[in-house]
Amino acid sequence: MLNYAVNHTAAFLAGMPKKTRKAKGQFFVSAETARFMADMFDLSNIHQTVSILDPGTGTGILSIALIERISREYPNLQIHLTCYEVDSDVLPILKKNLTYIENLLNGKLEYQIIEEDYILAQADSFNENLFSDALPSKYDYIISNPPYMKVARNHPSALAMSKVVHGAPNLYFLFAAMSLFNLNENAEMVYIIPRSWTSGAYFKAFREYLLTEGIIEQIHLFVSRDKVFSKEQVLQETIIIKVKRSRQKSNTILITSSHSGNNFSNITKLSVPYNSIVSGEDMYVYLPTNKEELDIIKKINTYQSTLPNEGLRMKTGIVVDFRQWNELRNSPGAHTLPLFYSQHIFNGRVNHHPSGKKYDWIVDEKPTLIQKSKNYVFIKRFTAKEEKRRLQCGIYSPKDFKEYKYIGTENKINFVDRIDGKEMDEKTTYGVFALLNSTLFDKYYRILNGSTQVNSSEINNIPIPPVSIIKKIGEQVLNSDDLSTRNCDKIIAEVAYA
């Protein structure tokens, strides 16, 4: 069954430019991925008649993989399949594929294709609109590869599901939230989606809905992300999740990992405590791939405090250079201050050597664009994916820039400062630097966030030792005059995580 659908899909892909599909957020999974996702479902309590939903069906690869498995293991079952698809390019292929499967199963499959927008068709039910006549449809199994596409806050789908939208919406998590709504109690859904929802402020409302109304039973990680989508160009790190609709929380989550793209022959398994994966007020979802990474999570979670709890906060640089051309200068002068970029962070220190940018200076005319020159820890917001470290930081010391009372920070750096606006003392500054410069925190952040961007809200949520211990760490770093990661690792291991 699946091979038939895959062959027809391959013919479609050959005639459709990738740019066209990318504009729709449309990417197709391989047969191997489809079978793996179908195998994730628990069929042990299956009924004589089962209902399947495939929202954003495409050519039907995923739902056909699930039907193939069910019909093989339970050949006498009656299967009802509901598909949502609006793309006129793929609808003929979907209809041809499902007609073929229907004939092959001799009346054991009934299907309907709803040519409506999946989100908008059920928005009233999702929002409990009292004037809606339609009861929400509920299903036993939902399988989906949703569209991956950012949309505006005023996009009809985003407006229809505003209670799960906190920041910049993406169609994939709107589909996932609606699918959870469409599940029967204790029923399951399997989704292949980017991992970006697992952390960050933009996805907070979605995480709260997902983790309140459902429980994650399994997460599959692709250690190599280059070939997850065969013949496609998906840059985001992708994961597969299995979620059960239930408010009764589980004690564990199964984390599986494959190490060779969409080849699932070499899979590692890790059963981990649920509260080690889903943690904190913002319900971040951590993704360890092995026991070492799980131990890192446990070690960081030794402490319950955070930077804001200790009167500190990581913030984002103030100056967006391409918007402030009129205030930028290419050389020092009267009423001109140094502007710091990520290129000025080097070997644990902050300098103001030429950055390679056209403008390294900013005028002091607008108070909103400048800040006091005082102790800070600067950290790069963006790093290249091939770099060994994600957290790359440096100490900004006002002693190195005595002629300036104010400075500018460009938007591609973050900085740690006191919340009350007063100056961090040197011990605290060096202690915060040591934590962020350590191997422990760098690995922890990689488990938390799969992108190359360092998000200030995520750093502000990482558990840290209290300031009293941070100062002890900073004092030792100061006395040693050694800002290397190796030295920071040694000191924090002895002082904070013995």
Side-chain angles (χ1 to χ4, degrees):
M1 296 182 194
L2 184 58
N3 290 339
Y4 180 90
V6 168
N7 289 338
H8 278 85
T9 301
F12 165 73
L13 293 177
M16 178 66 68
K18 290 180 181 179
K19 287 183 179 179
T20 302
R21 299 201 311 277
K22 186 176 181 181
K24 302 175 183 179
Q26 186 182 69
F27 304 97
F28 292 86
V29 300
S30 65
E32 295 85 356
T33 302
R35 285 197 175 100
F36 181 82
M37 291 175 66
D39 286 343
M40 288 174 70
F41 287 99
D42 178 8
L43 303 185
S44 61
N45 295 315
I46 201 164
H47 307 295
Q48 285 301 111
T49 301
V50 296
S51 56
I52 300 171
L53 170 65
D54 186 347
T57 313
T59 60
I61 289 176
L62 287 181
S63 48
I64 290 170
L66 181 55
I67 291 168
E68 183 180 70
R69 180 192 169 194
I70 293 173
S71 64
R72 182 179 65 247
E73 296 182 21
Y74 301 90
N76 295 319
L77 247 61
Q78 187 71 31
I79 302 171
H80 296 277
L81 171 66
T82 300
C83 301
Y84 278 86
E85 185 54 62
V86 295
D87 190 336
S88 58
D89 291 325
V90 300
L91 276 168
I93 304 159
L94 173 61
K95 292 173 181 178
K96 186 174 183 180
N97 286 341
L98 292 182
T99 299
Y100 174 81
I101 306 303
E102 182 184 37
N103 293 333
L104 204 63
L105 291 179
N106 295 318
K108 295 297 181 182
L109 171 67
E110 294 179 0
Y111 72 86
Q112 64 171 332
I113 300 173
I114 302 175
E115 297 180 29
E116 297 179 42
D117 184 287
Y118 172 58
I119 302 297
L120 300 183
Q122 303 179 95
D124 285 347
S125 296
F126 183 80
N127 292 302
E128 299 177 352
N129 188 330
L130 298 177
F131 298 100
S132 174
D133 294 328
L135 292 173
S137 299
K138 300 291 182 179
Y139 300 88
D140 299 318
Y141 303 104
I142 300 178
I143 190 166
S144 182
N145 169 26
Y148 299 2
M149 188 165 65
K150 290 181 180 179
V151 294
R153 290 288 300 269
N154 62 354
H155 186 278
S157 293
L159 293 174
M161 300 188 69
S162 58
K163 67 182 179 184
V164 298
V165 175
H166 184 74
N170 193 304
L171 288 180
Y172 84 77
F173 78 76
L174 298 179
F175 268 63
M178 185 64 83
S179 287
L180 182 59
F181 175 71
N182 284 145
L183 278 176
N184 283 318
E185 191 68 20
N186 293 318
E188 298 172 342
M189 71 182 205
V190 174
Y191 255 70
I192 181 166
I193 51 178
R195 67 168 283 175
S196 51
W197 64 274
T198 59
S199 62
Y202 282 170
F203 301 94
K204 182 179 179 180
F206 166 66
R207 285 195 303 273
E208 288 177 346
Y209 179 76
L210 180 75
L211 299 169
T212 300
E213 299 296 325
I215 54 173
I216 301 173
E217 293 197 316
Q218 182 179 349
I219 301 174
H220 184 78
L221 310 176
F222 298 92
V223 177
S224 172
R225 58 177 160 174
D226 295 339
K227 298 177 182 179
V228 176
F229 285 87
S230 180
K231 301 179 182 180
E232 299 283 11
Q233 295 175 328
V234 179
L235 299 180
Q236 293 193 64
E237 189 168 350
T238 309
I239 64 176
I240 302 172
I241 60 170
K242 174 186 172 183
V243 178
K244 177 187 283 188
R245 183 170 180 86
S246 174
R247 285 176 171 260
Q248 186 175 351
K249 299 311 174 189
S250 173
N251 293 324
T252 60
I253 295 179
L254 177 62
I255 306 289
T256 56
S257 306
S258 53
H259 298 262
S260 52
N262 59 22
N263 184 341
F264 296 90
S265 59
N266 181 21
I267 292 179
T268 58
K269 297 182 179 181
L270 187 67
S271 182
V272 299
Y274 196 89
N275 58 9
S276 293
I277 301 301
V278 179
S279 179
E281 291 182 3
D282 287 342
M283 293 185 171
Y284 285 172
V285 177
Y286 297 83
L287 302 176
T289 59
N290 52 49
K291 188 177 182 301
E292 178 196 357
E293 292 182 348
L294 183 60
D295 289 341
I296 288 170
I297 293 173
K298 290 178 179 177
K299 187 171 283 189
I300 291 289
N301 289 342
T302 299
Y303 299 101
Q304 302 301 314
S305 195
T306 62
L307 283 172
N309 294 152
E310 299 299 317
L312 307 170
R313 184 178 293 278
M314 178 167 283
K315 305 174 184 177
T316 300
I318 299 170
V319 179
V320 181
D321 56 2
F322 64 86
R323 292 177 183 165
Q324 267 98 37
W325 291 122
N326 291 336
E327 285 74 39
L328 302 186
R329 299 291 183 269
N330 58 14
S331 61
H335 299 286
T336 304
L337 308 172
L339 175 61
F340 291 92
Y341 291 84
S342 60
Q343 288 82 354
H344 292 121
I345 301 171
F346 186 73
N347 282 348
R349 298 283 184 186
V350 174
N351 60 54
H352 198 247
H353 302 317
S355 66
K357 301 286 185 178
K358 189 172 182 180
Y359 302 105
D360 280 331
W361 305 85
I362 186 168
V363 295
D364 62 2
E365 295 172 356
K366 294 185 177 180
T368 55
L369 295 180
I370 61 177
Q371 61 201 76
K372 289 182 180 179
S373 177
K374 56 184 180 180
N375 288 322
Y376 296 110
V377 178
F378 285 1
I379 187 165
K380 295 181 180 181
R381 279 187 64 204
F382 299 95
T383 54
K385 64 179 180 180
E386 63 271 10
E387 292 188 72
K388 292 182 179 180
R389 286 190 59 86
R390 185 69 64 239
L391 303 183
Q392 299 183 23
C393 50
I395 293 170
Y396 174 88
S397 174
K399 295 177 182 178
D400 298 330
F401 305 94
K402 293 180 181 178
E403 64 271 40
Y404 299 103
K405 291 185 178 180
Y406 295 90
I407 59 171
T409 53
E410 203 271 335
N411 191 248
K412 292 184 180 61
I413 64 172
N414 292 322
F415 61 92
V416 178
D417 190 13
R418 279 181 53 151
I419 292 174
D420 62 11
K422 296 179 181 178
E423 183 169 18
M424 280 193 297
D425 60 83
E426 274 197 322
K427 291 180 182 178
T428 302
T429 304
Y430 276 75
V432 170
F433 166 81
L435 291 175
L436 296 177
N437 191 48
S438 69
T439 302
L440 179 66
F441 272 69
D442 187 69
K443 287 185 174 181
Y444 182 88
Y445 192 78
R446 286 173 179 268
I447 298 167
L448 170 64
N449 185 313
S451 75
T452 56
Q453 180 173 344
V454 176
N455 189 306
S456 59
S457 67
E458 292 169 350
I459 297 291
N460 287 326
N461 276 283
I462 295 178
I464 62 166
V467 162
S468 58
I469 294 178
I470 292 174
K471 286 185 177 182
K472 290 179 182 178
I473 296 170
E475 183 176 20
Q476 290 200 27
V477 175
L478 266 168
N479 292 338
S480 68
D481 196 30
D482 180 357
L483 299 180
S484 68
T485 293
R486 183 178 179 181
N487 187 49
C488 292
D489 287 347
K490 176 177 177 293
I491 291 172
I492 73 166
E494 292 171 351
V495 176
Y497 299 99

